[in-house]
Amino acid sequence: MGNYLLTAAIGAGQWRSDQAYDLPSIFQICDFVNLMSYDLHGAWESRTGIHSALYQGINDRGVANVDASVSFVLSHGVAREKLILGIPAYGVGFTLDNQNINGVGAPAVGAGTQHYFTICQNVNRGVYRERWEPEQMNPYAVNSTSWIGYDNIRSVEIKANYINRHSLG
């Protein structure tokens, strides 16, 4: 028999991790744990939010960001090298209440997900206008009343540097 690894995937966000997992026990028995650091914002909210934002922004309420999620998990004494940061290849969209109020935190209703390649096509064709949220280190795109938060090459590179800086797995 070959060597096997025991792994787990856990949801990000203190509101999930604190209630759903015994973090020290999971990290003690697992070879590594994937932190699903996405879907931090979505259809259950009445405002736009980048679902995988690295940091909290001024218009972002609470601790729904990657850095806060990583910090929370690490505060439970888990081994950094066992923590693998998940990065999504899709975006989470919203329908804006008012097309003139269209930044992060704009009044909206959830509108589902979109594949990264579809977002790229729509940005490249000029269907969406891509914007950068400097506080959260993530892009989002807008078209009339459509709004979508996602990761692109730039934000993934920033997250890769974050992983290295924090000595994560």
Side-chain angles (χ1 to χ4, degrees), residues 4-53:
Y4 294 94
L5 295 175
L6 179 61
T7 68
I10 61 172
Q14 183 175 346
W15 67 95
R16 290 181 182 136
S17 299
D18 201 24
Q19 296 176 12
Y21 311 112
D22 178 354
L23 292 172
S25 295
I26 289 173
F27 277 84
Q28 183 178 356
I29 64 170
C30 287
D31 294 293
F32 64 87
V33 177
N34 296 291
L35 182 63
M36 297 182 290
S37 56
Y38 39 84
D39 293 339
L40 297 169
H41 290 284
W44 62 91
E45 297 174 299
S46 60
R47 298 191 171 277
T48 61
I50 299 171
H51 78 111
S52 60

Short mmCIF file of all heavy atoms in Angstrom, two decimals, residues 4-53:
data_model
loop_
_atom_site.label_atom_id
_atom_site.label_comp_id
_atom_site.label_asym_id
_atom_site.label_seq_id
_atom_site.Cartn_x
_atom_site.Cartn_y
_atom_site.Cartn_z
N TYR A 4 -0.69 7.61 2.09
CA TYR A 4 -1.93 8.35 1.94
C TYR A 4 -1.86 9.64 2.75
O TYR A 4 -1.14 9.71 3.75
CB TYR A 4 -3.12 7.53 2.42
CG TYR A 4 -3.36 6.30 1.58
CD1 TYR A 4 -2.83 5.07 1.93
CD2 TYR A 4 -4.12 6.39 0.42
CE1 TYR A 4 -3.05 3.95 1.16
CE2 TYR A 4 -4.35 5.28 -0.36
CZ TYR A 4 -3.81 4.06 0.01
OH TYR A 4 -4.03 2.97 -0.77
N LEU A 5 -2.62 10.62 2.32
CA LEU A 5 -2.74 11.86 3.06
C LEU A 5 -4.17 12.00 3.55
O LEU A 5 -5.12 11.64 2.84
CB LEU A 5 -2.43 13.07 2.16
CG LEU A 5 -1.01 13.20 1.62
CD1 LEU A 5 -0.93 14.37 0.65
CD2 LEU A 5 -0.03 13.40 2.76
N LEU A 6 -4.33 12.53 4.72
CA LEU A 6 -5.65 12.87 5.23
C LEU A 6 -5.76 14.38 5.16
O LEU A 6 -4.94 15.10 5.74
CB LEU A 6 -5.84 12.39 6.67
CG LEU A 6 -7.20 12.74 7.29
CD1 LEU A 6 -8.33 12.07 6.50
CD2 LEU A 6 -7.23 12.30 8.75
N THR A 7 -6.73 14.85 4.41
CA THR A 7 -6.93 16.29 4.23
C THR A 7 -8.38 16.65 4.53
O THR A 7 -9.25 15.78 4.60
CB THR A 7 -6.59 16.73 2.79
OG1 THR A 7 -7.57 16.18 1.90
CG2 THR A 7 -5.20 16.26 2.39
N ALA A 8 -8.62 17.92 4.69
CA ALA A 8 -9.97 18.42 4.89
C ALA A 8 -10.08 19.78 4.21
O ALA A 8 -9.08 20.47 4.01
CB ALA A 8 -10.28 18.57 6.38
N ALA A 9 -11.30 20.15 3.86
CA ALA A 9 -11.59 21.49 3.34
C ALA A 9 -12.57 22.13 4.32
O ALA A 9 -13.58 21.52 4.67
CB ALA A 9 -12.19 21.42 1.95
N ILE A 10 -12.23 23.32 4.77
CA ILE A 10 -13.09 24.02 5.72
C ILE A 10 -13.48 25.39 5.16
O ILE A 10 -12.73 26.00 4.43
CB ILE A 10 -12.43 24.18 7.11
CG1 ILE A 10 -11.14 25.00 7.02
CG2 ILE A 10 -12.16 22.81 7.72
CD1 ILE A 10 -10.53 25.34 8.38
N GLY A 11 -14.67 25.81 5.51
CA GLY A 11 -15.15 27.12 5.08
C GLY A 11 -14.43 28.23 5.80
O GLY A 11 -14.07 28.10 6.97
N ALA A 12 -14.20 29.31 5.09
CA ALA A 12 -13.55 30.49 5.69
C ALA A 12 -14.60 31.34 6.38
O ALA A 12 -15.79 31.23 6.12
CB ALA A 12 -12.84 31.29 4.61
N GLY A 13 -14.13 32.20 7.22
CA GLY A 13 -15.00 33.10 7.95
C GLY A 13 -15.19 32.62 9.37
O GLY A 13 -15.53 31.46 9.61
N GLN A 14 -14.94 33.50 10.31
CA GLN A 14 -15.04 33.14 11.72
C GLN A 14 -16.44 32.62 12.05
O GLN A 14 -16.57 31.69 12.83
CB GLN A 14 -14.71 34.35 12.59
CG GLN A 14 -14.73 34.05 14.06
CD GLN A 14 -14.29 35.23 14.90
OE1 GLN A 14 -13.72 36.18 14.40
NE2 GLN A 14 -14.54 35.17 16.19
N TRP A 15 -17.47 33.18 11.46
CA TRP A 15 -18.84 32.77 11.74
C TRP A 15 -19.06 31.33 11.32
O TRP A 15 -19.92 30.65 11.86
CB TRP A 15 -19.85 33.70 11.07
CG TRP A 15 -19.84 33.62 9.57
CD1 TRP A 15 -20.65 32.85 8.79
CD2 TRP A 15 -18.97 34.30 8.67
NE1 TRP A 15 -20.34 33.01 7.47
CE2 TRP A 15 -19.30 33.90 7.36
CE3 TRP A 15 -17.93 35.21 8.84
CZ2 TRP A 15 -18.64 34.38 6.24
CZ3 TRP A 15 -17.28 35.68 7.72
CH2 TRP A 15 -17.64 35.28 6.44
N ARG A 16 -18.29 30.82 10.34
CA ARG A 16 -18.39 29.41 9.95
C ARG A 16 -17.45 28.56 10.80
O ARG A 16 -17.86 27.54 11.36
CB ARG A 16 -18.01 29.24 8.48
CG ARG A 16 -19.02 29.81 7.52
CD ARG A 16 -18.56 29.58 6.09
NE ARG A 16 -19.51 30.16 5.16
CZ ARG A 16 -19.17 30.88 4.11
NH1 ARG A 16 -17.90 31.10 3.82
NH2 ARG A 16 -20.08 31.36 3.31
N SER A 17 -16.19 28.92 10.82
CA SER A 17 -15.17 28.11 11.47
C SER A 17 -15.40 27.96 12.97
O SER A 17 -15.18 26.89 13.53
CB SER A 17 -13.78 28.71 11.23
OG SER A 17 -13.49 28.75 9.85
N ASP A 18 -15.82 29.01 13.62
CA ASP A 18 -16.00 28.99 15.07
C ASP A 18 -17.12 28.04 15.48
O ASP A 18 -17.03 27.38 16.51
CB ASP A 18 -16.28 30.40 15.56
CG ASP A 18 -15.97 30.58 17.03
OD1 ASP A 18 -15.14 29.82 17.56
OD2 ASP A 18 -16.55 31.49 17.65
N GLN A 19 -18.15 27.96 14.68
CA GLN A 19 -19.31 27.14 15.03
C GLN A 19 -19.24 25.72 14.46
O GLN A 19 -19.83 24.80 15.01
CB GLN A 19 -20.58 27.82 14.53
CG GLN A 19 -20.84 29.15 15.20
CD GLN A 19 -22.05 29.84 14.62
OE1 GLN A 19 -22.83 29.26 13.88
NE2 GLN A 19 -22.22 31.11 14.96
N ALA A 20 -18.53 25.55 13.35
CA ALA A 20 -18.61 24.29 12.63
C ALA A 20 -17.44 23.33 12.88
O ALA A 20 -17.57 22.15 12.60
CB ALA A 20 -18.71 24.56 11.13
N TYR A 21 -16.31 23.82 13.37
CA TYR A 21 -15.11 22.99 13.42
C TYR A 21 -14.40 23.05 14.76
O TYR A 21 -14.36 24.08 15.41
CB TYR A 21 -14.10 23.43 12.34
CG TYR A 21 -14.68 23.60 10.98
CD1 TYR A 21 -14.79 24.87 10.40
CD2 TYR A 21 -15.14 22.52 10.25
CE1 TYR A 21 -15.32 25.04 9.13
CE2 TYR A 21 -15.68 22.67 8.98
CZ TYR A 21 -15.77 23.94 8.42
OH TYR A 21 -16.30 24.10 7.18
N ASP A 22 -13.79 21.92 15.10
CA ASP A 22 -12.84 21.86 16.20
C ASP A 22 -11.47 22.00 15.53
O ASP A 22 -10.83 21.01 15.18
CB ASP A 22 -12.97 20.53 16.93
CG ASP A 22 -11.97 20.36 18.06
OD1 ASP A 22 -11.09 21.23 18.23
OD2 ASP A 22 -12.06 19.34 18.77
N LEU A 23 -11.04 23.24 15.29
CA LEU A 23 -9.85 23.51 14.50
C LEU A 23 -8.58 22.82 15.01
O LEU A 23 -7.87 22.20 14.22
CB LEU A 23 -9.64 25.02 14.35
CG LEU A 23 -10.69 25.74 13.51
CD1 LEU A 23 -10.49 27.25 13.59
CD2 LEU A 23 -10.65 25.27 12.07
N PRO A 24 -8.27 22.90 16.30
CA PRO A 24 -7.04 22.23 16.75
C PRO A 24 -7.04 20.73 16.44
O PRO A 24 -6.03 20.16 16.02
CB PRO A 24 -7.01 22.50 18.25
CG PRO A 24 -7.79 23.76 18.42
CD PRO A 24 -8.89 23.66 17.39
N SER A 25 -8.18 20.07 16.62
CA SER A 25 -8.26 18.62 16.36
C SER A 25 -8.12 18.31 14.88
O SER A 25 -7.43 17.36 14.50
CB SER A 25 -9.58 18.06 16.88
OG SER A 25 -9.63 18.18 18.28
N ILE A 26 -8.76 19.11 14.04
CA ILE A 26 -8.68 18.88 12.60
C ILE A 26 -7.23 19.01 12.13
O ILE A 26 -6.72 18.16 11.40
CB ILE A 26 -9.58 19.87 11.83
CG1 ILE A 26 -11.05 19.52 12.05
CG2 ILE A 26 -9.26 19.87 10.34
CD1 ILE A 26 -12.02 20.53 11.50
N PHE A 27 -6.56 20.06 12.56
CA PHE A 27 -5.19 20.28 12.12
C PHE A 27 -4.22 19.26 12.73
O PHE A 27 -3.20 18.94 12.13
CB PHE A 27 -4.74 21.71 12.40
CG PHE A 27 -5.18 22.68 11.35
CD1 PHE A 27 -6.44 23.25 11.38
CD2 PHE A 27 -4.34 23.00 10.30
CE1 PHE A 27 -6.85 24.13 10.40
CE2 PHE A 27 -4.74 23.88 9.30
CZ PHE A 27 -6.00 24.45 9.36
N GLN A 28 -4.56 18.73 13.89
CA GLN A 28 -3.70 17.73 14.51
C GLN A 28 -3.71 16.43 13.73
O GLN A 28 -2.67 15.80 13.54
CB GLN A 28 -4.14 17.48 15.95
CG GLN A 28 -3.25 16.50 16.70
CD GLN A 28 -3.70 16.33 18.14
OE1 GLN A 28 -4.63 16.98 18.60
NE2 GLN A 28 -3.04 15.45 18.85
N ILE A 29 -4.87 16.02 13.22
CA ILE A 29 -4.95 14.73 12.54
C ILE A 29 -4.76 14.81 11.03
O ILE A 29 -4.42 13.81 10.41
CB ILE A 29 -6.27 13.99 12.87
CG1 ILE A 29 -7.48 14.77 12.35
CG2 ILE A 29 -6.38 13.73 14.36
CD1 ILE A 29 -8.78 14.00 12.41
N CYS A 30 -4.95 15.98 10.45
CA CYS A 30 -4.84 16.12 8.99
C CYS A 30 -3.42 16.48 8.57
O CYS A 30 -2.71 17.19 9.29
CB CYS A 30 -5.80 17.20 8.48
SG CYS A 30 -7.52 16.69 8.51
N ASP A 31 -3.04 16.00 7.40
CA ASP A 31 -1.75 16.36 6.83
C ASP A 31 -1.76 17.80 6.34
O ASP A 31 -0.76 18.50 6.43
CB ASP A 31 -1.39 15.41 5.69
CG ASP A 31 -1.16 14.00 6.21
OD1 ASP A 31 -0.17 13.81 6.94
OD2 ASP A 31 -1.98 13.11 5.91
N PHE A 32 -2.88 18.22 5.79
CA PHE A 32 -3.10 19.63 5.46
C PHE A 32 -4.58 19.90 5.37
O PHE A 32 -5.39 19.00 5.23
CB PHE A 32 -2.34 20.09 4.22
CG PHE A 32 -2.75 19.43 2.92
CD1 PHE A 32 -3.78 19.93 2.16
CD2 PHE A 32 -2.06 18.32 2.45
CE1 PHE A 32 -4.14 19.34 0.97
CE2 PHE A 32 -2.40 17.72 1.25
CZ PHE A 32 -3.45 18.23 0.51
N VAL A 33 -4.92 21.20 5.51
CA VAL A 33 -6.32 21.63 5.49
C VAL A 33 -6.45 22.76 4.49
O VAL A 33 -5.69 23.72 4.50
CB VAL A 33 -6.78 22.09 6.89
CG1 VAL A 33 -8.20 22.60 6.85
CG2 VAL A 33 -6.64 20.95 7.90
N ASN A 34 -7.41 22.61 3.59
CA ASN A 34 -7.70 23.64 2.58
C ASN A 34 -8.71 24.63 3.16
O ASN A 34 -9.81 24.23 3.55
CB ASN A 34 -8.30 22.99 1.33
CG ASN A 34 -7.32 22.06 0.67
OD1 ASN A 34 -6.33 22.51 0.11
ND2 ASN A 34 -7.57 20.76 0.74
N LEU A 35 -8.33 25.89 3.22
CA LEU A 35 -9.24 26.94 3.67
C LEU A 35 -9.95 27.49 2.44
O LEU A 35 -9.33 28.10 1.57
CB LEU A 35 -8.48 28.05 4.39
CG LEU A 35 -9.31 29.20 4.94
CD1 LEU A 35 -10.29 28.70 6.01
CD2 LEU A 35 -8.41 30.28 5.51
N MET A 36 -11.24 27.23 2.35
CA MET A 36 -12.03 27.70 1.20
C MET A 36 -12.32 29.19 1.40
O MET A 36 -13.36 29.57 1.92
CB MET A 36 -13.31 26.88 1.07
CG MET A 36 -13.05 25.41 0.80
SD MET A 36 -14.56 24.43 0.59
CE MET A 36 -15.21 24.42 2.26
N SER A 37 -11.36 30.00 0.99
CA SER A 37 -11.42 31.44 1.27
C SER A 37 -12.17 32.18 0.17
O SER A 37 -11.64 33.07 -0.49
CB SER A 37 -10.01 31.99 1.46
OG SER A 37 -9.22 31.70 0.33
N TYR A 38 -13.41 31.81 0.01
CA TYR A 38 -14.29 32.40 -0.98
C TYR A 38 -15.73 32.20 -0.53
O TYR A 38 -15.97 31.58 0.51
CB TYR A 38 -14.06 31.80 -2.37
CG TYR A 38 -13.79 30.30 -2.39
CD1 TYR A 38 -14.83 29.40 -2.39
CD2 TYR A 38 -12.49 29.82 -2.38
CE1 TYR A 38 -14.60 28.03 -2.39
CE2 TYR A 38 -12.24 28.46 -2.39
CZ TYR A 38 -13.31 27.56 -2.40
OH TYR A 38 -13.07 26.21 -2.40
N ASP A 39 -16.65 32.77 -1.28
CA ASP A 39 -18.06 32.79 -0.89
C ASP A 39 -18.26 33.49 0.45
O ASP A 39 -19.13 33.15 1.24
CB ASP A 39 -18.67 31.38 -0.86
CG ASP A 39 -18.76 30.76 -2.24
OD1 ASP A 39 -18.75 31.53 -3.23
OD2 ASP A 39 -18.84 29.52 -2.34
N LEU A 40 -17.43 34.51 0.69
CA LEU A 40 -17.54 35.29 1.90
C LEU A 40 -18.64 36.35 1.80
O LEU A 40 -19.03 36.93 2.80
CB LEU A 40 -16.18 35.93 2.23
CG LEU A 40 -15.07 34.92 2.53
CD1 LEU A 40 -13.71 35.61 2.57
CD2 LEU A 40 -15.34 34.17 3.81
N HIS A 41 -19.08 36.59 0.58
CA HIS A 41 -20.25 37.45 0.31
C HIS A 41 -21.10 36.74 -0.72
O HIS A 41 -20.60 35.95 -1.52
CB HIS A 41 -19.82 38.82 -0.23
CG HIS A 41 -19.14 39.67 0.78
ND1 HIS A 41 -19.81 40.32 1.78
CD2 HIS A 41 -17.83 39.97 0.96
CE1 HIS A 41 -18.96 41.00 2.52
NE2 HIS A 41 -17.73 40.79 2.05
N GLY A 42 -22.40 37.03 -0.72
CA GLY A 42 -23.26 36.35 -1.69
C GLY A 42 -24.71 36.78 -1.62
O GLY A 42 -25.04 37.83 -1.05
N ALA A 43 -25.56 35.94 -2.18
CA ALA A 43 -26.97 36.26 -2.39
C ALA A 43 -27.75 36.56 -1.11
O ALA A 43 -28.81 37.17 -1.17
CB ALA A 43 -27.64 35.10 -3.14
N TRP A 44 -27.24 36.15 0.02
CA TRP A 44 -27.93 36.39 1.29
C TRP A 44 -27.79 37.84 1.75
O TRP A 44 -28.41 38.23 2.74
CB TRP A 44 -27.40 35.44 2.36
CG TRP A 44 -25.95 35.61 2.66
CD1 TRP A 44 -25.39 36.42 3.61
CD2 TRP A 44 -24.86 34.98 1.99
NE1 TRP A 44 -24.02 36.34 3.57
CE2 TRP A 44 -23.66 35.46 2.59
CE3 TRP A 44 -24.76 34.08 0.94
CZ2 TRP A 44 -22.40 35.04 2.17
CZ3 TRP A 44 -23.50 33.67 0.53
CH2 TRP A 44 -22.35 34.14 1.14
N GLU A 45 -26.97 38.64 1.05
CA GLU A 45 -26.73 40.02 1.47
C GLU A 45 -27.46 41.02 0.57
O GLU A 45 -27.77 40.72 -0.57
CB GLU A 45 -25.22 40.30 1.44
CG GLU A 45 -24.46 39.44 2.44
CD GLU A 45 -22.97 39.60 2.31
OE1 GLU A 45 -22.44 39.31 1.23
OE2 GLU A 45 -22.36 40.03 3.30
N SER A 46 -27.66 42.20 1.10
CA SER A 46 -28.36 43.24 0.34
C SER A 46 -27.40 44.31 -0.17
O SER A 46 -27.83 45.39 -0.56
CB SER A 46 -29.44 43.89 1.23
OG SER A 46 -28.84 44.48 2.37
N ARG A 47 -26.11 43.99 -0.19
CA ARG A 47 -25.08 44.91 -0.70
C ARG A 47 -24.03 44.09 -1.45
O ARG A 47 -23.78 42.94 -1.12
CB ARG A 47 -24.40 45.67 0.43
CG ARG A 47 -25.36 46.55 1.21
CD ARG A 47 -24.63 47.50 2.13
NE ARG A 47 -25.56 48.45 2.69
CZ ARG A 47 -25.97 49.56 2.08
NH1 ARG A 47 -25.53 49.86 0.90
NH2 ARG A 47 -26.83 50.38 2.65
N THR A 48 -23.39 44.74 -2.42
CA THR A 48 -22.32 44.06 -3.15
C THR A 48 -21.14 43.81 -2.23
O THR A 48 -20.89 44.56 -1.29
CB THR A 48 -21.84 44.91 -4.34
OG1 THR A 48 -21.33 46.16 -3.85
CG2 THR A 48 -22.96 45.16 -5.34
N GLY A 49 -20.41 42.74 -2.52
CA GLY A 49 -19.23 42.41 -1.75
C GLY A 49 -18.35 41.46 -2.54
O GLY A 49 -18.85 40.54 -3.18
N ILE A 50 -17.05 41.69 -2.51
CA ILE A 50 -16.12 40.80 -3.21
C ILE A 50 -16.01 39.53 -2.39
O ILE A 50 -15.54 39.56 -1.25
CB ILE A 50 -14.75 41.49 -3.40
CG1 ILE A 50 -14.92 42.76 -4.25
CG2 ILE A 50 -13.75 40.53 -4.04
CD1 ILE A 50 -13.68 43.63 -4.32
N HIS A 51 -16.40 38.42 -2.95
CA HIS A 51 -16.55 37.18 -2.19
C HIS A 51 -15.22 36.55 -1.77
O HIS A 51 -15.21 35.63 -0.95
CB HIS A 51 -17.40 36.17 -2.97
CG HIS A 51 -16.68 35.46 -4.07
ND1 HIS A 51 -16.40 34.12 -4.00
CD2 HIS A 51 -16.19 35.89 -5.26
CE1 HIS A 51 -15.77 33.75 -5.10
NE2 HIS A 51 -15.64 34.80 -5.88
N SER A 52 -14.11 37.05 -2.26
CA SER A 52 -12.80 36.50 -1.91
C SER A 52 -11.78 37.61 -1.64
O SER A 52 -10.59 37.44 -1.87
CB SER A 52 -12.30 35.60 -3.03
OG SER A 52 -12.18 36.35 -4.24
N ALA A 53 -12.26 38.73 -1.12
CA ALA A 53 -11.38 39.88 -0.86
C ALA A 53 -10.28 39.50 0.12
O ALA A 53 -10.53 38.84 1.14
CB ALA A 53 -12.18 41.04 -0.32
#
